Each structure stands twice: as structure tokens, then as C-alpha cells.
Amino acid sequence: MTTLIYKDEELTQSLIKIIRKAGQAIIKVYNSDFDYGFKKDLSPLTQADTISHQIIKEEIQKITPDIPILSEEDCKVPFEARSKWTQYWLVDPLDGTKEFINRNGEFTVNIALIEKNSPILGVIHIPVKNETFWGSKVHGSFF
């Protein structure tokens, strides 16, 4: 796997666009009469989880095709293989699905770039408030 020689600012701006796009899709589901099911671990799963995951996965693969993605909604790579990754995207496409279902607005979308088991860049979006936070090891954190 190649090390990402990342242009922090450029990559961050791309991630902000991606995470806001996912947030908009989540809000469409949130404002509808949605249903939900359960995953194997009995945690809830909504259409918003799935749509957000798909958006993030497709868009991140466009900008960093050589970096694997580990998402709460898609983890088919065995731990033995993942544990050898030196760099990967860690994604929770809808963190707080129970809160989403309860319609209390307390859920987020999270994307982090992990390098050698440490986060080096991350973006968090609160869809209901349309607020985005981001930060990196290089530049600090912002709202």
C-alpha cells in the first residue's frame, strides 16, 4: 500500500463535500416515514445508514482509490488482513442510529484517515444542524 502524500487542505475540503452530501441524504430519510431493521449484532440499521455508507465509499474511492475503507456498514475484510493495514479510512456513516430512529437529532457522520493506528485527519458532520467539524495532525481543528 502506498503512503498517502496528502495535501491536507485539498483532501479535507474533498471530505467536507463528501460528508455533507451524505448528511443531506440522511436528512431526506430522517424527514420521511422511514422503517428500520436490525444487523446480525441486533443493532438497528436504517436506509440512511446504507445510503450514507454508499455515498462515502464511492466518493472516497474516487479521490484515494489505493486506501482501503473500514466502515461500520461494510467490514468484509478479516481482522488478520486489516491489522496489517498501515493506512485506511475509518468511517461511521451514521453514528447514533438509535438517536436517528428516536428523531432527537443527536447523530453524526464520521470519517477519519488512520495511519499507523493513529488518526491523522478527521471530519465530523451533524446533519440536523448542518455543522461540520474537521481537524488534522498538521493543522489542528476547525468548525
Side-chain angles (χ1 to χ4, degrees), residues 50-77:
T50 306
I51 291 170
S52 178
H53 164 77
Q54 205 56 41
I55 289 168
I56 293 168
K57 179 181 174 184
E58 288 174 7
E59 296 297 323
I60 285 180
Q61 285 177 333
K62 287 178 189 175
I63 59 173
T64 58
D66 294 334
I67 299 176
I69 300 169
L70 179 60
S71 172
E72 183 176 342
E73 305 312 331
D74 184 19
C75 184
K76 295 177 182 156
V77 179

Side-chain angles (χ1 to χ4, degrees), residues 21-113:
K21 183 177 180 180
Q24 290 170 349
I26 287 170
I27 288 300
K28 284 182 184 176
V29 176
Y30 189 70
N31 291 330
S32 72
D33 185 24
F34 65 87
D35 197 8
Y36 63 92
F38 293 94
K39 297 186 247 181
K40 289 180 184 179
D41 67 359
L42 298 181
S43 61
L45 178 68
T46 69
Q47 182 183 19
D49 292 274
T50 306
I51 291 170
S52 178
H53 164 77
Q54 205 56 41
I55 289 168
I56 293 168
K57 179 181 174 184
E58 288 174 7
E59 296 297 323
I60 285 180
Q61 285 177 333
K62 287 178 189 175
I63 59 173
T64 58
D66 294 334
I67 299 176
I69 300 169
L70 179 60
S71 172
E72 183 176 342
E73 305 312 331
D74 184 19
C75 184
K76 295 177 182 156
V77 179
F79 175 74
E80 186 174 300
R82 294 190 322 250
S83 66
K84 294 178 178 130
W85 291 350
T86 58
Q87 188 175 60
Y88 61 95
W89 291 104
L90 181 60
V91 175
D92 192 340
L94 179 53
D95 186 23
T97 302
K98 289 177 187 174
E99 288 75 12
F100 177 89
I101 291 168
N102 291 328
R103 296 185 192 267
N104 69 13
E106 296 182 9
F107 53 87
T108 61
V109 184
N110 308 307
I111 302 173
L113 180 59

Side-chain angles (χ1 to χ4, degrees), residues 1-5 65-68 86-88 115:
M1 181 181 320
T2 59
T3 299
L4 176 66
I5 303 171
D66 294 334
I67 299 176
T86 58
Q87 188 175 60
Y88 61 95
E115 190 170 83

